[in-house]
């Protein structure tokens, strides 16, 4: 008989440290001078326990040191967010009025939202992280502009039931971001969450998710910085346990009822958003899938 794996950080009731890591990267990036910063998340600093740098030079130095140890992560973390926000803007322009973030962490898309007030944001996350996020907002005297939906993707609850109970319109299209999450879920929980999502969102809805290459999860990647990060997050109680490839990521989406419309790797993100002199490298061990919920019905997007 094999021993049960130790409880993860979240199962032990502690907020996600990897969500904190991504917020730290965004908070440092926000300090960089405007023409070199990659995102500009002016609220990320509210969620970090390590003070962000105070000058652009210091911020660049901190992020470039991290990038030289773990190339590819800075680009992926900051630029997947740019891509997601572009997707939201396009969807809203086409009439979509619901945005869902799965495993939202310390995301601040809604706090920075300057589009129509009729757009509603739903954030689904493990209760341990969500509680910490709401506490940080309260400490900063900010009320949350989102509808918070606590849910553990590994505990057998229903996304459809929980979102609907919190006012999500099941018959209206939405944009869904599932960023930085799939690789922390057991493969069966990842597939079950996708199937649940397909059962929740109206046809025409768009989903963006990212994935970690299988080679990082099984230890065969040629990117030593990625393997080191894998060891670090495992020590913190959030191991990467679910690896995919561009082909299996697309197939996983398709199997659940989402048709891929675009697939990007980190290098593609850097080419698209990095400007002429990006301060980060584009090591190639993660990818993104944008996919549309197939079927008949309301769609905010032309085909
Ligand atoms: C790396 S963070 C990403 C956060 C945010 N999406 C971002 O891009 O910064 C991983 C997020 O997934 C959430 N998560 C991990 N496992 C989960 C689970 N079983 N159920 C719900 N959320 C989970 C964590 O709470 C955390 O917010």
């Amino acid at each position: 008989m094999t021993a049960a794996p130790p409880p993860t950080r979240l199962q032990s009731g502690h907020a996600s440290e990897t969500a904190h890591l991504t917020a730290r990267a965004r908070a440092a990036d926000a300090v960089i001078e405007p023409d070199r910063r990659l995102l500009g998340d002016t609220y990320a600093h509210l969620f970090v326990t390590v003070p962000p740098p105070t000058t652009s030079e210091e911020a660049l130095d901190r992020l470039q040191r991290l990038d030289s140890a773990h190339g590819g992560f800075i680009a992926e973390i900051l630029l997947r967010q740019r891509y997601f926000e572009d997707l939201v803007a396009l969807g809203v322009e086409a009439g979509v009025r619901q945005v869902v973030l799965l495993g939202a962490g310390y995301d601040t898309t809604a706090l920075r939202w300057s589009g129509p007030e009729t757009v509603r944001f739903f954030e689904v996350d493990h209760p341990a992280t969500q509680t910490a996020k709401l506490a940080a907002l309260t400490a900063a005297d900010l009320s949350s502009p989102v509808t918070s939906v606590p849910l553990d993707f590994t505990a057998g609850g229903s996304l459809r039931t929980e979102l609907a109970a919190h006012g999500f319109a099941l018959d209206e299209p939405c944009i869904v971001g599932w960023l930085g999450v799939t690789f922390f879920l057991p493969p069966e929980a990842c597939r079950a969450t996708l199937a649940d999502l397909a059962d929740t969102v109206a046809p025409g809805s768009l989903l963006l998710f990212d994935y970690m290459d299988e080679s990082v999860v099984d230890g065969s990647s040629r990117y030593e910085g990625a393997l080191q990060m894998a060891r670090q997050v495992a020590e913190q109680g959030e191991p990467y346990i679910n690896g995919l490839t561009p082909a299996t990521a697309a197939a996983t989406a398709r199997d659940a009822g989402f048709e891929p419309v675009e697939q990007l790797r980190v290098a593609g993100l850097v080419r698209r958003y990095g400007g002429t002199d990006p301060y980060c490298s584009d090591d190639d061990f993660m990818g993104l899938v944008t996919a549309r919920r197939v079927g008949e019905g309301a769609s905010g997007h032309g085909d």
Side-chain angles (χ1 to χ4, degrees):
M1 211 168 81
T2 49
T8 64
R9 187 179 169 84
L10 293 172
Q11 284 165 344
S12 309
H14 299 291
S16 166
E17 180 55 27
T18 58
H20 179 235
L21 270 179
T22 61
R24 278 183 66 182
R26 292 195 289 259
D29 173 73
V31 178
I32 294 174
E33 56 184 315
D35 60 341
R36 288 212 71 197
R37 72 174 66 126
L38 296 176
L39 179 62
D41 182 345
T42 46
Y43 286 96
H45 68 95
L46 296 177
F47 306 103
V48 300
T49 56
V50 180
T54 51
T55 67
S56 178
E57 292 71 27
E58 208 192 315
L60 260 177
D61 181 58
R62 193 183 287 186
L63 287 171
Q64 281 176 327
R65 268 189 287 124
L66 188 62
D67 192 60
S68 53
H70 307 287
F73 278 104
I74 296 296
E76 213 272 339
I77 289 166
L78 298 173
L79 299 180
R80 70 184 180 208
Q81 188 65 27
R82 283 279 296 277
Y83 182 91
F84 176 65
E85 292 180 21
D86 275 1
L87 211 59
V88 170
L90 282 172
V92 168
E93 214 176 284
V96 175
R97 289 293 176 267
Q98 306 187 103
V99 178
V100 180
L101 282 134
L102 301 178
Y106 302 115
D107 185 279
T108 68
T109 313
L111 277 167
R112 290 178 286 112
W113 179 247
S114 59
E117 284 176 13
T118 45
V119 176
R120 288 172 304 151
F121 289 84
F122 297 84
E123 289 190 355
V124 183
D125 206 340
H126 192 284
T129 309
Q130 200 163 73
T131 303
K133 180 179 197 176
L134 293 173
L137 286 173
T138 303
D141 242 350
L142 287 171
S143 58
S144 173
V146 310
T147 300
S148 299
V149 182
L151 185 72
D152 178 349
F153 301 134
T154 62
S158 158
L159 200 52
R160 181 182 167 92
T161 306
E162 292 305 322
L163 274 170
H166 284 80
F168 177 80
L170 296 168
D171 57 350
E172 289 174 25
C174 61
I175 308 287
V176 183
W178 197 19
L179 302 176
V181 189
T182 60
F183 26 98
F184 296 111
L185 301 178
E188 58 281 11
C190 181
R191 286 192 294 269
T193 304
L194 259 182
D196 191 3
L197 183 67
D199 194 34
T200 304
V201 304
S205 297
L206 280 184
L207 162 69
L208 172 67
F209 70 94
D210 60 349
Y211 60 91
M212 181 75 64
D213 281 1
E214 211 169 59
S215 59
V216 176
V217 176
D218 69 20
S220 65
S221 172
R222 67 191 176 91
Y223 294 106
E224 185 49 36
L227 295 176
Q228 272 175 18
M229 183 63 90
R231 289 192 284 274
Q232 181 183 319
V233 296
E235 275 163 26
Q236 290 166 348
E238 290 178 87
Y240 299 146
I241 52 176
N242 183 26
L244 294 170
T245 65
T248 59
T252 304
R254 225 171 249 131
D255 287 348
F258 289 93
E259 184 55 32
V261 291
E262 184 169 39
Q263 286 197 251
L264 271 182
R265 301 286 292 178
V266 172
L269 280 176
V270 174
R271 266 197 305 279
R272 191 174 294 186
Y273 296 109
T276 48
D277 182 21
Y279 68 78
C280 58
S281 53
D282 59 1
D283 289 5
D284 185 31
F285 54 86
M286 291 181 80
L288 292 146
V289 180
T290 309
R292 188 190 309 275
R293 177 72 178 105
V294 292
E296 298 298 318
S299 167
H301 310 272
D303 277 314

